[in-house]
Amino acid sequence: MHMHKYEKIWLTFGIACLFVFLTVIGVSAFAEGKQPPSCLTTIDPEKVDQTPPFNKPGLVKTGDNEYQLNIVVSAFAFTPNQIEIPKGAKVTINVTSKDVIHGFEVAGTNINMMVEPGYINTITKTFNQTGEYTILCNEYCGAGHHMMTGRIKVVE
Ligand code: CUA
């Protein structure tokens, strides 16, 4: 097969570029054992219902004014989706997904996490003001995406 000289040069150049890109991506993605942010804890997404603390989702008192809020996320619901938190409580929120990637955003706060199957995502927040906050899924996850909501009530 006859190949034009320039065609060969560009083909070689193209392949070389591909290798450079793949190397850069590979090194930056896996160097230092990087993982998605705060996704350091893993969980079997098919056994969420049997795995503590998600076998008993909800608010758990862990100390003086300290709580753990464990929420199971699935298509298309947060469990639980109505949560009452005492004002001033320091709450560590743990979320995990049983199926696809969802979002966990509490509107009007800095709480905004990706919820990935296989991982537990965590954020700690002190609720200093009474009021109602809406929980939203902000990752498109299917037909019922827009129905995925919940409510946090911070009470006196
Ligand atoms: Cu869950 Cu969108």
Side-chain angles (χ1 to χ4, degrees):
M1 192 180 82
H2 176 77
M3 260 176 130
H4 196 276
K5 188 179 157 197
Y6 289 112
E7 203 178 328
K8 252 186 210 166
I9 290 169
W10 282 109
L11 192 65
T12 310
F13 179 69
I15 291 171
C17 280
L18 187 66
F19 274 103
V20 170
F21 287 142
L22 287 178
T23 308
V24 168
I25 290 167
V27 168
S28 54
F30 301 111
E32 302 155 32
K34 264 187 206 156
Q35 284 191 326
S38 81
C39 294
L40 298 171
T41 317
T42 55
I43 184 169
D44 183 342
E46 291 184 357
K47 295 195 178 120
V48 169
D49 289 336
Q50 294 97 283
T51 310
F54 298 103
N55 57 341
K56 286 177 189 159
L59 194 69
V60 186
K61 193 165 179 154
T62 52
D64 194 24
N65 223 13
E66 284 190 25
Y67 293 81
Q68 205 180 66
L69 175 57
N70 305 303
I71 296 185
V72 175
V73 186
S74 59
F76 300 99
F78 297 103
T79 309
N81 65 0
Q82 304 287 326
I83 302 124
E84 246 185 47
I85 295 172
K87 183 184 163 188
K90 188 179 169 194
V91 184
T92 300
I93 304 171
N94 299 310
V95 293
T96 194
S97 168
K98 284 164 75 172
D99 37 56
V100 297
I101 293 177
H102 297 276
F104 185 91
E105 180 184 345
V106 180
T109 72
N110 62 347
I111 300 171
N112 190 354
M113 293 188 275
M114 232 193 194
V115 190
E116 291 157 281
Y119 293 100
I120 299 170
N121 252 335
T122 299
I123 195 167
T124 301
K125 165 95 181 162
T126 304
F127 291 87
N128 283 322
Q129 281 179 344
T130 56
E132 287 192 21
Y133 298 90
T134 304
I135 304 170
L136 299 166
C137 175
N138 57 11
E139 290 280 340
Y140 182 75
C141 52
H145 165 70
H146 63 283
M147 299 187 311
M148 286 189 70
T149 59
R151 187 178 300 158
I152 291 176
K153 252 188 186 174
V154 182
V155 294
E156 205 69 60

